[in-house]
Amino acid sequence: MSLHVLKNNDIAIKVEDHGAELRSLTKIDSGKEFMFQADPKYWGRTSPVLFPIVGGLWENKYIYDGVTYELPKHGFARDMDFNLVKETSDELLFELKDTEETMKVYPFKFALQIGYKLEGSKVTVTYNVKNDNDGTFYFSIGAHPAFTCDLNTDELLFEKNGAAVKDTLKSGVIDMSSGCLSEKVIDVKTTEGVLALEPKLFDEDALIFEDRQSDSVTIIRKDDADKVKVSFDAPLFGVWSPDKKNAPFVCIEPWNGRCDRVGYGHALEKREHGNRLEKGESFNTAFSIEIL
């Protein structure tokens, strides 16, 4: 595994070719680190890509073309080595393609590219998925970046179109026994878009916000002037920290896809929030992380 470094006058990032995973984001002037450093006491990752599924499958399986397959939560891309295909002074681009092993659990040919580009104090992360099959390709993709914070003092600011969101957001709730979405929906109350973090927020796993309720989330630190803003154009997003661990981080996760609902019937092509590409088509999405 190799770490690749990009820096400009404002920030520096490190990206590992294993999983094309962002492992570090620091300010040049202070050296301050903003990414959680994968302490296995809490969670052994920093910013994995979720592909070709986001979340878990009902009973850990799906059915395609009459055949039943199994996939682990969040798929396999995060545990594979990507190839670095482009490197400039301000940009890195990694690529992963299907293999004999991936075809056994996900019978599709694909090319997944993950890019990182610096501009001032912002890094933009891009995902490009290409269908290399003769027929339709079904997939989900999502981000899972973890940012340092104090769950007992810090806050989140939810905005949409540059303004604070309404006072109450609606969140789906995970069934902890299966890892799939329950029928329960809860109100997440904010004050002019600001939510005070506290460890018990994550007692039932991630908060899941559907229907484009927000397009940016800013982490506000009580003891730090620097803020971290995650901006995205995604149909839904998750906010997560490990349950009952009071971990020193929170994840802001733009998703194009999510876990199955409890009791889902396993059909790959009918999964909620799933994406489909026809022969030769590509899917593009992006999100940004900015130090304010």
Side-chain angles (χ1 to χ4, degrees):
M1 294 184 288
S2 300
L3 276 176
H4 305 272
V5 178
L6 278 185
K7 63 175 65 176
N8 60 19
N9 292 330
D10 299 297
I11 59 174
I13 66 170
K14 296 178 182 178
V15 184
E16 193 172 78
D17 51 15
H18 187 71
E21 184 175 1
L22 178 65
R23 298 303 300 266
S24 175
L25 167 60
T26 57
K27 284 186 71 174
I28 294 296
D29 58 3
S30 65
K32 187 186 304 177
E33 176 65 71
F34 293 91
M35 305 300 298
F36 172 66
Q37 292 299 291
D39 181 349
K41 175 182 176 182
Y42 301 103
W43 187 52
R45 301 179 189 269
T46 297
S47 183
V49 61
L50 316 180
F51 178 87
I53 60 170
V54 173
L57 299 167
W58 175 243
E59 298 177 325
N60 297 314
K61 63 185 180 182
Y62 70 92
I63 297 174
Y64 174 70
D65 200 21
V67 180
T68 299
Y69 299 87
E70 293 189 5
L71 269 180
K73 183 178 181 180
H74 296 324
F76 49 70
R78 61 182 182 169
D79 295 316
M80 298 184 68
D81 292 334
F82 284 62
N83 292 316
L84 180 65
V85 295
K86 180 181 180 181
E87 181 175 11
T88 68
S89 61
D90 63 355
E91 186 175 5
L92 296 169
L93 185 65
F94 299 84
E95 185 176 65
L96 177 71
K97 292 190 174 184
D98 56 276
T99 67
E100 289 185 10
E101 293 304 308
T102 66
M103 291 288 285
K104 292 176 183 177
V105 295
Y106 213 71
F108 299 97
K109 297 179 179 180
F110 64 85
L112 166 61
Q113 291 190 336
I114 300 179
Y116 297 90
K117 186 176 178 62
L118 301 188
E119 182 180 2
S121 61
K122 179 171 68 177
V123 54
T124 298
V125 185
T126 58
Y127 294 151
N128 174 274
V129 183
K130 183 183 178 184
N131 178 10
D132 286 335
N133 305 274
D134 290 331
T136 307
F137 175 45
Y138 303 93
F139 70 97
S140 298
I141 190 166
H144 204 315
F147 304 99
T148 58
C149 76
D150 187 330
L151 295 183
N152 301 282
T153 61
D154 296 348
E155 299 173 328
L156 301 180
L157 169 63
F158 296 87
E159 294 178 292
K160 186 171 183 179
N161 299 325
V165 301
K166 59 185 180 180
D167 287 343
T168 301
L169 297 164
K170 298 290 185 180
S171 170
V173 176
I174 295 292
D175 169 62
M176 296 287 279
S177 64
S178 66
C180 290
L181 190 68
S182 71
E183 294 301 317
K184 183 179 178 180
V185 177
I186 62 173
D187 290 338
V188 179
K189 296 181 179 180
T190 71
T191 301
E192 297 183 351
V194 175
L195 172 68
L197 286 169
E198 50 185 335
K200 70 178 184 180
L201 277 173
F202 308 105
D203 282 354
E204 295 184 271
D205 207 274
L207 301 175
I208 299 176
F209 300 102
E210 303 192 55
D211 302 321
R212 296 183 183 272
Q213 296 180 64
S214 173
D215 59 19
S216 74
V217 182
T218 301
I219 302 170
I220 303 170
R221 294 174 167 82
K222 285 296 186 180
D223 61 351
D224 191 338
D226 290 319
K227 303 174 184 177
V228 178
K229 183 176 184 178
V230 183
S231 302
F232 45 87
D233 179 14
L236 67 164
F237 66 98
V239 178
W240 176 80
S241 195
D243 63 286
K244 299 176 178 63
K245 289 188 176 182
N246 194 16
F249 71 89
V250 66
C251 293
I252 311 299
E253 309 177 36
W255 294 340
N256 287 270
R258 65 150 163 73
C259 61
D260 286 342
R261 289 186 183 273
V262 170
Y264 179 64
H266 304 301
L268 177 64
E269 62 271 24
K270 296 181 180 179
R271 297 188 71 228
E272 289 183 291
H273 295 291
N275 304 282
R276 59 185 294 163
L277 293 172
E278 300 306 324
K279 180 180 179 180
E281 289 184 337
S282 295
F283 171 92
N284 296 279
T285 189
F287 69 97
S288 67
I289 305 166
E290 186 173 9
I291 310 302
L292 302 177

